[in-house]
Amino acid sequence: MNVLPAFGMPNLALTARAGAAAVCVAVVLGAGGPTFGQSPSADPVIAVVNGSKIHESDLQLADEVIGRNLLVRDPVERRETLSKMVIDTVLLAQAAKDRKIEDEADLQRRVVFARNQGLTNHLLAVVGQRAVTEEAMRKAYDEVVVKAATSETELHLRHLVFMIAPPQDDAAVKAAEAKATAAMERLNKGEEFTAVVTDVSEDPATKARGGDYDWRQRGELGKEYADVAFKLKKGEVSQPFKTAVGWHILKLEDERPRKPVDYEKLRDRLAAMVATAAQMELVDKLRAEAKVERLDQLRDADKGAANVR
């Protein structure tokens, strides 16, 4: 996650070397000592630039911040590229200081912002990771996935199809309608739906299966189909109806609550859902407990009142 702002340097995006400036704050602050909780042996120095030490943790941080923008995938080449970028960053920061062109107040603002954003991201990551337990994911699965699935109905349908070709041809529309009417008459006389399908249906994908259209959810059907299908009772056959592609007759074989997607297939998404929920809960709690005074809004309100007078 990119948590550090880049310094405003000319042509920053033009070269990979200049791209290293995006981690200038992190590296300058990190150079010279290991990160929290790390011994020197756990965080070895990988380079010394004019007396400033660059640690392994600095390289790791650079990879987190700007690594996503690198096209290099080979581990050795990627490490070398990052090393050069971090070294260039330290050199440029040293040059800025030597030439007395740094803006200390602006730098401090950026440091504070970067630190706050880094702490924010770290806290949210920890909160999210701790929230992701098997119990929490199972609960989310039951309350969100299973509940949503079982609140919907799936229909097992068979259909007769008479294609309209070309679709805008009135004669083709009437011809397809005539075929559908004739098929309906056969069904009304007691012929088996599957037998009529095998004889006259024009959908090659389902004709050999007696018109079996499998289990379908409302979202998988066009509006015309769904409007007809979900009004049928089990075993009932619809009247012929028209869609953009043809004339159809449906039979509802069976219905059931929609089967939820298997838990194991959703593990990653459930983990993300649980983590996000925990993070949002923390933010909402902190907002509710905090005393926040928006002085800018008060000033704007005062200005508005003055203008009215």
Side-chain angles (χ1 to χ4, degrees):
M1 184 176 293
N2 190 342
V3 299
L4 301 178
F7 283 104
M9 296 175 62
N11 300 321
L12 183 62
L14 295 184
T15 66
R17 294 170 69 87
V23 290
C24 191
V25 171
V27 175
V28 171
L29 294 180
T35 55
F36 295 117
Q38 287 186 316
S39 66
S41 60
D43 190 23
V45 175
I46 64 168
V48 180
V49 182
N50 294 329
S52 294
K53 295 179 181 179
I54 297 176
H55 289 260
E56 183 67 32
S57 58
D58 299 320
L59 195 63
Q60 294 172 0
L61 179 58
D63 198 9
E64 290 178 14
V65 175
I66 58 176
R68 71 182 65 184
N69 297 320
L70 293 181
L71 299 179
V72 181
R73 290 291 176 262
D74 177 75
V76 175
E77 186 179 355
R78 183 181 182 85
R79 180 181 176 83
E80 183 62 19
T81 299
L82 284 167
S83 297
K84 290 179 179 178
M85 293 172 73
V86 172
I87 290 170
D88 285 350
T89 296
V90 175
L91 286 172
L92 289 166
Q94 291 174 346
K97 185 175 181 180
D98 292 342
R99 298 182 186 188
K100 303 184 185 303
I101 61 173
E102 75 271 21
D103 183 336
E104 187 63 28
D106 181 62
L107 178 60
Q108 287 304 314
R109 280 194 295 270
R110 292 175 182 271
V111 170
V112 170
F113 180 81
R115 183 177 185 277
N116 289 343
Q117 197 170 21
L119 288 170
T120 294
N121 292 336
H122 180 66
L123 174 61
L124 291 177
V126 170
V127 169
Q129 290 167 1
R130 290 178 178 175
V132 179
T133 63
E134 191 69 21
E135 180 182 2
M137 289 195 295
R138 284 285 181 184
K139 183 178 179 182
Y141 178 75
D142 291 338
E143 293 181 352
V144 179
V145 181
V146 174
K147 185 177 180 180
T150 54
S151 65
E152 297 181 17
T153 301
E154 288 183 322
L155 304 181
H156 184 195
L157 299 166
R158 292 185 185 274
H159 68 177
L160 271 156
V161 183
F162 301 96
M163 308 300 291
I164 301 172
Q168 305 303 323
D169 188 324
D170 289 341
V173 172
K174 291 180 180 179
E177 182 181 11
K179 293 176 185 178
T181 300
M184 194 71 219
E185 290 175 356
R186 293 174 61 177
L187 294 171
N188 289 335
K189 291 178 181 179
E191 286 195 53
E192 288 291 333
F193 195 92
T194 55
V196 178
V197 169
T198 302
D199 188 22
V200 299
S201 182
E202 296 177 355
D203 176 17
T206 59
K207 184 173 184 176
R209 305 196 305 267
D212 190 348
Y213 200 43
D214 210 345
W215 289 93
R216 300 285 173 170
Q217 303 166 24
R218 179 177 287 273
E220 296 176 306
L221 302 172
K223 184 178 185 306
E224 298 95 337
Y225 251 70
D227 287 347
V228 173
F230 279 85
K231 291 178 181 177
L232 294 175
K233 296 178 181 179
K234 185 176 177 179
E236 188 177 5
V237 176
S238 75
Q239 292 297 312
F241 64 97
K242 177 180 173 295
T243 70
V245 297
W247 279 83
H248 314 264
I249 301 174
L250 294 180
K251 180 181 180 182
L252 177 59
E253 291 283 353
D254 203 355
E255 60 183 294
R256 67 185 182 191
R258 181 164 69 88
K259 183 179 179 181
V261 179
D262 185 70
Y263 172 80
E264 291 300 326
K265 294 181 179 180
L266 296 175
R267 285 189 68 90
D268 290 345
R269 293 167 67 178
L270 289 167
M273 181 190 303
V274 169
T276 300
Q279 293 163 349
M280 293 179 65
E281 182 179 353
L282 172 62
V283 172
D284 289 342
K285 179 176 182 294
L286 293 174
R287 285 174 176 169
E289 295 175 350
K291 180 181 179 181
V292 179
E293 298 178 82
R294 289 293 305 273
L295 303 182
D296 57 338
Q297 293 181 348
L298 292 175
R299 286 193 294 269
D300 290 343
D302 291 341
K303 290 179 181 178
N307 291 334
V308 170
R309 289 195 293 270

